[in-house]
Amino acid sequence: AKQPDIIVDLKQFKADLITGIAIKKHCSDGRIRKRTLLLDASGTKVGWKKNQSPNTMIDLAQVLEVRNATELDPATIGDPSRPKGMAGTDTLRKTCDGITVAKRAFSLIMSGRTLDIEMPTELEAKKLSSAFKALVQKAKEGEDGPR
């Protein structure tokens, strides 16, 4: 059976982000930490700690891709060990314990870094990644129209 399309209520999503959304953050050191995703006052940056400096938050307009952990990482195609490529990101490939976790995870991908997020359920991960795709698209359109 085909999954129903996920409808994104951007206004509600932003309100949820201002309140804070509990996540598990998969870190490049291989650890998984409980964090809270938060939107800054301008609505253009996302962070994962209370009172986080905007300088260390992620500018949504700089996000190149929102990738589910089960989606192909194009940078891995032609890899000697796995020529067809691998899914997710470097961090998620290190930290995801099997497909069940991968189905609950997604990443915000920027040049030179990723924010790797795991949700409690597969549906929550799909909803959140879809909402981030819409929010990133809106941030990229910004003041100067679509890019």
Side-chain angles (χ1 to χ4, degrees), residues 105-121:
F106 69 95
S107 306
L108 301 184
I109 300 174
M110 288 71 58
S111 175
R113 72 170 297 187
T114 61
L115 175 59
D116 302 282
I117 297 164
E118 179 189 340
M119 296 302 293
T121 70

Side-chain angles (χ1 to χ4, degrees), residues 4-111:
D5 286 337
I6 290 176
I7 308 299
V8 176
D9 180 345
L10 217 48
K11 202 171 164 187
Q12 183 59 53
F13 177 55
K14 282 180 153 184
D16 293 344
L17 270 177
I18 288 166
T19 311
I21 298 174
I23 62 156
K24 285 183 184 173
K25 181 176 180 289
H26 287 241
C27 306
S28 55
D29 65 6
R31 306 228 349 238
I32 299 170
R33 297 174 171 89
K34 287 184 178 181
R35 293 286 183 254
T36 303
L37 279 183
L38 297 157
L39 194 65
D40 77 332
S42 72
T44 60
K45 292 184 174 190
V46 71
W48 49 92
K49 296 181 201 141
K50 290 239 184 283
N51 306 318
Q52 185 170 349
S53 158
N55 300 341
T56 62
M57 293 174 101
I58 288 170
D59 181 348
L60 292 165
Q62 301 298 313
V63 175
L64 305 172
E65 184 189 351
V66 179
R67 182 189 304 150
N68 294 322
T70 54
E71 290 179 309
L72 183 68
D73 176 353
T76 63
I77 294 172
D79 182 89
S81 62
R82 290 229 178 101
K84 288 184 178 168
M86 296 175 270
T89 62
D90 275 341
T91 297
L92 288 178
R93 287 192 289 275
K94 266 196 298 202
T95 59
C96 272
D97 186 15
I99 190 71
T100 307
V101 174
K103 285 181 175 178
R104 297 191 307 241
F106 69 95
S107 306
L108 301 184
I109 300 174
M110 288 71 58
S111 175

